[in-house]
Structures are given as C-alpha cells and as structure tokens.
Amino acid sequence: MSRAELADFLRRRREALRPDQLPATAVHPPGRRARRTPGLRREEVATLAGVSTSYYERLEQARAPHPSPQVIAALGTALRLTDAEREHLARLAGQAPPAPETGPAPVPAFARELLDRLGPVPAYLTDERQDIVAWNNAAADLITDFGSLSAGERNAVRLSIRLNGTLCSAADGSQGEYARQTAAQLRAASARYPAERVLGELVNEFAAHSPDFAASWRNHEVRPIPTLRKHLHHPELGALELDCQTLLLPGTDLRMVIYTARPGSPSAAALARLAARDT
C-alpha cells in the first residue's frame, strides 16, 4: 500500500468535485461555513462514504491503517470515480497485487501474426512501460525504422520527444491530449509495477518535456485510452491526418496501436502510396 500516493489521489479527487454536482442533502449548507478550499470538504466525503471524518482525514494525511475493500468501494462511490479510477484506487490501497517484476515478456506468436495480417495498416505493440516490442513494415515506413533504434530509444514516450511531437500532435487542436493519455497510462502502470525504475525515468523525462503531461500526472488522471485523431508529418508524404486507436490484447499486458485514415481522404491515398512502395 502506497499511503502517500493514496492520500494524494483522494485529495485531488475530492478537490475536483463541486458541491453542486451532488444532491443538496449530501453537502453542508453554504451558510454553515465559508468554503476556503476547492471541491468538497473532508467531512462531506466522509459522510457520503459512511466513514468517520477523523478516519478520512487520516487517509488524506497518509496516517490511516489499511482500508478495507468495503471502504475503498464506498470512497469510489462518494468521489464519483470512473471504473478505471476505482481500479487504480484499489491498487494504491494494496487490494490488487502488483504485477511481478519479471522483465519484458515475450511477444505471443498470435500478436506477431496479427501485425503481419494488417498488411498496409501501420501498427505496433507496446508494453505497459511504453516500449515498442513489435511492429509491421507499414509502421516502420510511417513513423521510423524501429529496427535501427537501440532498445532504450524504442519507446513510445522517448520517441515522441525525439521526433519533436510527431507522435503527439492531435489533429483536433487538443495538442496536449497525447501527453495526458500517456500520463494516465503510466499512472496505471506505476501502480502495477511500483518498483519499476524505468517508469520513474520516463515520467521525469516527459514531465520536463510537456507541461500537459506534468499537470495530468500531478492530478492522478486515470482513464480508458481514447481514439485520437493526429497530424503526422512524413518526410515523403507530407502532412497526414490519421486516427490512432489503441487496443488491449486479451490475456497480455500488450497494447496494439493502429493508424488508419478516413476512406477517400488524401491521407488514405498517401498511406496507399506508402504501402505500394513495399510491394
């Protein structure tokens, strides 16, 4: 159980809730005491969760004993956590065993076969440390020659920094979305691998590179991985607008990242030209 991380997560989620988001009976009347902090008061969260105020205060001060699964479930409801946030909270409270530190797992044969079957569709596999562990020819042509990189460089976080934003330029104008998504993924991975040194190094590197990542990391953002529409600049094809989808492979910790273009779009035609080059 990481008491400090648990305390920080609870405090930030409490401060993110507004009193007007909850039923009037769940919060103290505005005239009772002026609100000098954002979000709900500690006693309000304690009441909603059915625990004593003193116990909840000790949780936020990293002084409380190990909370029970029932308390964690009640806090998740009181703080209106998403499913992903509830799972993260349980891990911080020590109610989900951390993944074993066994080093990189081998890529299953079915995953490599799936990459090959995608043919002209660029795709690669990442593990929870964001290491790119397998890829198809289309991905190498679109992004970079992964095989020419060292093992440390073959990492989606480090590669996005090295390529000056090529992998994290969101086409919808939300330039920080990739950074926030990455922060959420690394948060979840850090809870599963609390002793993993590489994860800490990645967090420090990306936080120094991206204010959006740093802010998302501080706020303990944990959420499902969305589909992103990105702008990529290819040295031969020029500007491309692509949809980036991330799929979790069942039974593994691997994620498949797939780049597609809208049918009939200039970007789809560009990807077709790129695929024809390898035939």
Side-chain angles (χ1 to χ4, degrees), residues 101 129 158 193-204:
E101 304 294 341
R129 299 164 183 82
R158 291 195 172 107
Y193 301 91
E196 179 57 67
R197 176 180 55 83
V198 172
L199 287 172
E201 293 174 353
L202 287 174
V203 169
N204 291 336

Side-chain angles (χ1 to χ4, degrees), residues 129-244:
R129 299 164 183 82
Q130 298 297 303
D131 288 334
I132 298 171
V133 296
W135 57 91
N136 60 13
N137 291 335
D141 290 340
L142 175 66
I143 300 169
T144 190
D145 180 9
F146 296 113
S148 67
L149 302 177
S150 68
E153 293 174 317
R154 204 178 299 135
N155 178 277
V157 174
R158 291 195 172 107
L159 198 56
S160 69
I161 299 173
R162 174 176 175 267
L163 297 180
N164 296 319
T166 297
L167 293 182
C168 58
S169 177
D172 60 3
S174 178
Q175 297 297 326
E177 182 58 26
Y178 173 82
R180 291 190 289 271
Q181 171 186 314
T182 302
Q185 289 180 259
L186 290 180
R187 265 291 177 196
S190 295
R192 285 175 56 81
Y193 301 91
E196 179 57 67
R197 176 180 55 83
V198 172
L199 287 172
E201 293 174 353
L202 287 174
V203 169
N204 291 336
E205 288 178 36
F206 211 0
H209 169 76
S210 168
D212 290 301
F213 177 93
S216 180
W217 180 264
R218 286 194 303 270
N219 289 330
H220 288 262
E221 291 187 14
V222 182
R223 52 185 172 142
I225 303 173
T227 296
L228 297 179
R229 178 159 293 169
K230 298 182 181 179
H231 280 147
L232 278 75
H233 184 81
H234 190 273
E236 296 178 25
L237 304 177
L240 301 173
E241 184 175 294
L242 303 175
D243 290 329
C244 177

Side-chain angles (χ1 to χ4, degrees), residues 3 14 18 21 39-40 52 59 64 84 118 162 197-198 212 216 218 236 250 260 263-265 269-270 275 278:
R3 290 186 178 181
R14 173 177 59 81
R18 300 193 313 272
Q21 292 179 288
L40 297 184
S52 71
L59 280 175
L118 287 173
R162 174 176 175 267
R197 176 180 55 83
V198 172
D212 290 301
S216 180
R218 286 194 303 270
E236 296 178 25
T260 59
S265 68
D278 290 332

Side-chain angles (χ1 to χ4, degrees), residues 234-257:
H234 190 273
E236 296 178 25
L237 304 177
L240 301 173
E241 184 175 294
L242 303 175
D243 290 329
C244 177
Q245 297 173 311
T246 302
L247 309 176
L248 179 64
L249 296 188
T252 76
D253 286 338
L254 298 176
R255 290 167 172 78
M256 179 168 288
V257 182

Side-chain angles (χ1 to χ4, degrees), residues 22-74:
L22 301 175
T25 55
V27 297
H28 295 301
R32 177 180 180 271
R33 175 157 53 94
R35 290 184 181 272
R36 286 176 282 185
T37 58
L40 297 184
R41 299 188 180 107
R42 288 173 174 172
E43 58 264 36
E44 291 170 337
V45 173
T47 299
L48 288 168
V51 299
S52 71
T53 299
S54 62
Y55 176 71
Y56 181 77
E57 288 176 347
R58 292 198 302 276
L59 280 175
E60 282 202 9
Q61 294 165 356
R63 296 188 299 110
H66 190 87
S68 68
Q70 292 81 5
V71 167
I72 290 300

